Amino acid sequence: EPEVTQTPSHQVTQMGQEVILRCVPISNHLYFYWYRQILGQKVEFLVSFYNNEISEKSEIFDDQFSVERPDGSNFTLKIRSTKLEDSAMYFCASSGRAYSNQPQHFGDGTRLSIL
Amino acid sequence: DQQVKQNSPSLSVQEGRISILNCDYTNSMFDYFLWYKKYPAEGPTFLISISSIKDKNEDGRFTVFLNKSAKHLSLHIVPSQPGDSAVYFCAASAGGFGNEKLTFGTGTRLTIIP
């Protein structure tokens, strides 16, 4: 069964450094998302991406964050200058055709640890 | 932000019996509801969904019930199996066109006792 893959599984970064989290969504999907889960808290929406542009973003997704689909397969989340509070599990998700309810399928996440 | 609530953090059920997980929501704009299952060190795995135009959806051992007037949904697992032990998340979206952001509950840890 097709799946969403994320790399790396664990990323350790010094505060203030830039980090890029990578995702390969399911190949025929059209919508792409990033969510995060801080330890002990809910899974929270960060951003959705469709047709090569952001379709919605949360208030968490400030100027430090950016997303990109640099080619036909990868979808990346960049955090420009990491803060301690960015430590979390980051999940990428994708979903299928437009204008119908389609479940989002999630990758196994990247654990980001900011030191 | 408590738009989606799962009030039971944990639930233990005997193998073979029915597991019932509950979820309440407050946002009347939600029109698509999903259940995800999550094992440690893995991402959420989609289980079953329901649109607000229905009140029941069934897939094998899993059935989701939606009560719009009470803003309540539940997931029934029958019969429960040891492999069902995981954290279950309820999620909801609004907008009617599909593919909108998901709002998650806090999860219920289900333990199936052999």
Side-chain angles (χ1 to χ4, degrees):
Chain A
E1 186 174 319
E3 57 182 27
V4 176
T5 56
Q6 290 186 242
T7 55
S9 56
H10 190 192
Q11 173 81 48
V12 181
T13 302
Q14 291 287 334
M15 185 173 61
Q17 296 295 305
E18 175 182 287
V19 66
I20 297 176
L21 309 183
R22 302 181 192 278
C23 170
V24 178
I26 294 172
S27 64
N28 61 346
H29 280 184
L30 302 174
Y31 290 82
F32 314 110
Y33 312 82
W34 284 100
Y35 292 81
R36 79 173 186 190
Q37 186 178 28
I38 295 171
L39 188 64
Q41 297 186 23
K42 289 186 179 187
V43 176
E44 303 174 284
F45 168 77
L46 291 178
V47 65
S48 57
F49 192 86
Y50 171 68
N51 201 25
N52 280 319
E53 60 183 28
I54 290 174
S55 46
E56 188 174 1
K57 59 184 181 180
S58 72
E59 53 193 38
I60 303 168
F61 194 88
D62 62 21
D63 292 344
Q64 300 287 2
F65 291 87
S66 62
V67 289
E68 194 177 34
R69 187 156 163 82
D71 53 42
S73 59
N74 290 285
F75 180 52
T76 62
L77 173 69
K78 182 193 290 187
I79 309 174
R80 236 177 303 281
S81 177
T82 50
K83 303 187 275 278
L84 292 176
E85 54 264 38
D86 294 327
S87 295
M89 281 292 291
Y90 287 80
F91 295 106
C92 173
S94 68
S95 64
R97 63 185 184 271
Y99 302 112
S100 66
N101 284 322
Q102 292 289 306
Q104 296 177 24
H105 295 272
F106 285 76
D108 284 341
T110 293
R111 179 174 301 282
L112 178 63
S113 300
I114 308 300
L115 304 179
Chain B
D1 179 359
Q2 292 285 312
Q3 295 189 72
V4 178
K5 289 180 271 194
Q6 293 177 257
N7 291 319
S8 298
S10 64
L11 176 68
S12 294
V13 174
Q14 208 75 33
E15 182 180 357
R17 304 295 290 269
I18 183 171
S19 295
I20 300 176
L21 297 103
N22 294 302
C23 178
D24 297 295
Y25 62 96
T26 56
N27 187 343
S28 57
M29 299 300 292
F30 287 147
D31 57 6
Y32 183 51
F33 304 89
L34 309 91
W35 284 95
Y36 286 86
K37 172 180 176 179
K38 187 179 182 304
Y39 294 119
E42 294 185 12
T45 299
F46 169 70
L47 273 179
I48 192 168
S49 63
I50 188 166
S51 164
S52 60
I53 61 172
K54 294 185 173 183
D55 53 20
K56 178 182 174 182
N57 189 26
E58 205 168 343
D59 184 1
R61 295 187 298 116
F62 302 94
T63 303
V64 56
F65 295 92
L66 175 62
N67 181 334
K68 288 186 288 295
S69 60
K71 294 191 176 66
H72 177 84
L73 65 156
S74 61
L75 174 68
H76 291 209
I77 306 173
V78 183
S80 301
Q81 298 174 353
D84 296 330
S85 294
V87 178
Y88 288 77
F89 291 97
C90 168
S93 69
F97 293 115
N99 302 299
E100 281 77 29
K101 68 178 182 185
L102 296 178
T103 300
F104 281 84
T106 49
T108 296
R109 181 178 301 278
L110 176 64
T111 302
I112 306 302
I113 304 162

